[in-house]
């Protein structure tokens, strides 16, 4: 069981650090299927992703996939994303017990699917940068993260690219913003008195962190247009699978 969890965490983080999404979206449902309590899984995923996102920021910056120096535009975008996301994740935790799960799943699936399709349709068209789009997407994405432990990366990655941010830069920016979001979400779960499974958390941190350098090298060596295409395809698939989850009654 320990090896299986470690392998899933490694693969999920490789996907997340390479394409900017997939860690919580893939890992949370798998851990739940393995018998873990969702209320223990989500805080464990949040704190482990905080650690791996910090590692991802360092790796992507060192390899020049993104420029996270304080004066850079990438840092400004990441900081705004993280700040707005912090507000969104607080709201999501407060409302988590009041909204039917199927409604949350439906809107996440719909948003992610539409965003993935838009990315694929607009691959050959230049996108103009928009702070309004960045702020709106970050709030909705953080809401998803606080409620389900996943759904942040697909929206933030997709939203950035549809707002004119290059795919490679978007990966590093997403890691920075998500680290802030995960920290805030974890703190809120502590405040509301949720027990933390530190054994599971430690296993996820160790297994996932190992994947970060490999993912950063993948981003550095891949063609930007191809990366955008892969992101679009993955986002679309994740959205469709989320919608199918509702129809199957899961």
């Amino acid at each position: 069981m320990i090896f299986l969890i470690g392998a899933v965490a490694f693969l999920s983080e490789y996907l997340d650090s390479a394409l900017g999404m997939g860690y919580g979206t893939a890992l949370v449902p798998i851990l739940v299927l393995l018998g873990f309590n969702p209320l223990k899984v989500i805080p464990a995923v949040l704190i482990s992703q905080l650690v791996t996102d910090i590692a991802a920021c360092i790796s992507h910056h060192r390899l020049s996939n993104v420029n996270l120096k304080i004066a850079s535009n990438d840092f400004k975008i990441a900081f705004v994303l993280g700040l707005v996301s912090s507000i969104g994740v607080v709201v999501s935790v407060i409302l988590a017990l009041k909204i039917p799960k199927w409604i949350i799943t439906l809107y996440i699936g719909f948003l992610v699917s539409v965003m993935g399709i838009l990315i694929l349709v607009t691959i050959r068209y230049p996108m103009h940068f928009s702070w309004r789009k960045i702020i709106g997407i970050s709030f909705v994405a953080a809401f998803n993260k606080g409620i389900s432990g996943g759904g942040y990366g697909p929206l933030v990655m997709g939203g950035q690219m549809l707002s004119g941010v290059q795919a490679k830069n978007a990966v590093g920016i997403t890691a920075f913003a998500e680290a802030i979001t995960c920290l805030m979400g974890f703190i809120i779960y502590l405040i509301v008195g949720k027990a933390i499974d530190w054994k599971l958390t430690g296993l996820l941190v160790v297994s996932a962190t190992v994947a970060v350098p490999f993912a950063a090298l993948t981003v550095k060596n891949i063609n930007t247009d191809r990366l955008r295409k892969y992101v679009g395809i993955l986002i679309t698939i994740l959205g469709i699978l989320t919608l199918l989850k509702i129809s199957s009654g899961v």
Side-chain angles (χ1 to χ4, degrees), residues 19-88:
L19 297 181
M21 72 197 80
Y23 185 72
T25 305
L27 190 56
V28 171
I30 291 175
L31 290 175
V32 172
L33 288 174
L34 290 175
F36 286 92
N37 186 328
L39 292 180
K40 291 189 176 181
V41 167
I42 294 176
V45 168
L46 288 174
I47 192 62
S48 62
Q49 190 159 22
L50 168 62
V51 175
T52 56
D53 279 337
I54 292 173
C57 287
I58 295 172
S59 296
H60 285 300
H61 181 76
R62 285 181 173 176
L63 292 175
S64 299
N65 294 330
V66 65
N67 181 5
L68 292 177
K69 291 182 179 180
I70 295 179
S72 70
N73 194 52
D74 287 345
F75 179 85
K76 293 176 183 177
I77 296 173
F79 183 77
V80 171
L81 279 170
L83 184 62
V84 176
S85 295
S86 296
I87 300 173

Side-chain angles (χ1 to χ4, degrees), residues 105-106 108-114 154 233-245:
T105 306
L106 176 63
I108 291 176
F110 177 76
L111 284 176
V112 172
S113 299
V114 170
I233 292 173
L234 180 60
I235 289 178
T236 305
I237 292 174
L238 287 174
I240 293 173
L241 288 177
T242 302
L243 293 174
L244 290 176
K245 188 176 180 180

